[in-house]
Amino acid sequence: QVQLEESGPGLVKPSQTLSLTCTVSGDSISSGAYYWSWIRQDPGKGLEWIGYTSYSGRTYYNPSLKSRLTISVDTSKNQFSLKLSSVTAADTAVYYCTRDSGYGGSDYWGQGTLVTVSS
Amino acid sequence: QSALTQPASVSGSPGQSITISCTGTNSDIGNYNHVSWYQQHPGKAPKLIIYEVTKWPSGVSNRFSGSKSGNTASLTISGLQAEDEADYYCCSYTGSSTLVFGGGTKLTVL
């Protein structure tokens, strides 16, 4: 059974960098069959696609976040990561990592982790 | 990229059918057969229920069906059940190799 688990700080100060890691089990990122995605959701609001990475590190980002965003992959640890710099309160959200077909079909999701941006 | 447009809410009675629309542009829905739909219950992660406009992931009920015409995709739920009450989101691949979601639709089963 494929499982994804997000980890990282739940509280980040404004202007700092938000860093999250997703650990994948039950599938190998190195298989190359999928993209590995980050999606966030403002509390009580809708979903926003952040970006995704291939096993080789090829990345695609939401244009509205691109200037602050880095998504990377570590196939040796079967993990991928998100870094979002210069955060503000608007970046407060539940962050999900997912396994995606590359075309929007995210068939496995982590449970989500709430990140609050506050001083 | 702008979010896809969904109605904020829809409702129906048990046993009825409802349809949720998702309107995009020629840069996303209108140009690609890569529309997916997600169901989200409160406090839970979204669940993929339709991908590539009309396909079902393994284990998803065929009471859910998808379609597309021009720049608008639709999700139809037939034989409404109480457990179908949830938020529903559409998602489309775009010409920029990115993804865009709709704003979400709250389904109430009366």
Side-chain angles (χ1 to χ4, degrees), chain B residues 47-48 51 56-61:
Chain B
K47 174 187 175 183
L48 181 67
Y51 69 101
W56 294 284
S58 175
V60 171
S61 170

Side-chain angles (χ1 to χ4, degrees), chain A residues 37 39 41 45-49 52 60-63 96 100-107 109-112, chain B residues 1 34-36 38 40 43-48 51-52 89 91-93 96-103:
Chain A
S37 177
I39 293 166
Q41 185 170 33
K45 295 189 178 178
L47 300 170
E48 180 179 28
W49 180 74
Y52 50 33
Y60 298 90
Y61 296 153
N62 185 321
Y96 295 99
D100 195 278
S101 64
Y103 297 106
S106 280
D107 56 353
W109 293 62
Q111 80 279 9
Chain B
Q1 56 190 27
H34 294 300
V35 178
S36 50
Y38 296 88
Q40 186 180 33
K44 301 292 188 181
K47 174 187 175 183
L48 181 67
Y51 69 101
E52 292 183 10
Y89 295 91
C91 176
S92 178
Y93 180 76
S96 306
S97 297
T98 60
L99 304 176
V100 62
F101 279 97

Side-chain angles (χ1 to χ4, degrees), chain A residues 56-101:
Chain A
S56 64
R58 186 168 189 175
T59 54
Y60 298 90
Y61 296 153
N62 185 321
S64 69
L65 299 171
K66 188 174 184 176
S67 63
R68 301 190 289 129
L69 182 61
T70 302
I71 295 175
S72 58
V73 62
D74 186 340
T75 55
S76 68
K77 295 182 179 178
N78 220 31
Q79 295 176 334
F80 61 106
S81 298
L82 163 75
K83 291 187 186 297
L84 184 65
S85 64
S86 304
V87 296
T88 68
D91 295 308
T92 293
V94 174
Y95 285 76
Y96 295 99
C97 60
T98 83
R99 187 182 83 168
D100 195 278
S101 64

Side-chain angles (χ1 to χ4, degrees), chain A residues 1-57:
Chain A
Q1 177 74 343
V2 178
Q3 293 184 316
L4 294 90
E5 183 173 7
E6 305 90 353
S7 58
L11 181 64
V12 181
K13 295 186 187 307
S15 79
Q16 293 190 343
T17 296
L18 181 161
S19 297
L20 295 174
T21 296
C22 183
T23 301
V24 180
S25 58
D27 190 11
S28 172
I29 290 178
S30 297
S31 73
Y34 296 96
Y35 279 76
W36 304 90
S37 177
W38 290 98
I39 293 166
R40 70 181 183 181
Q41 185 170 33
D42 283 3
K45 295 189 178 178
L47 300 170
E48 180 179 28
W49 180 74
I50 298 172
Y52 50 33
T53 182
S54 71
Y55 77 101
S56 64

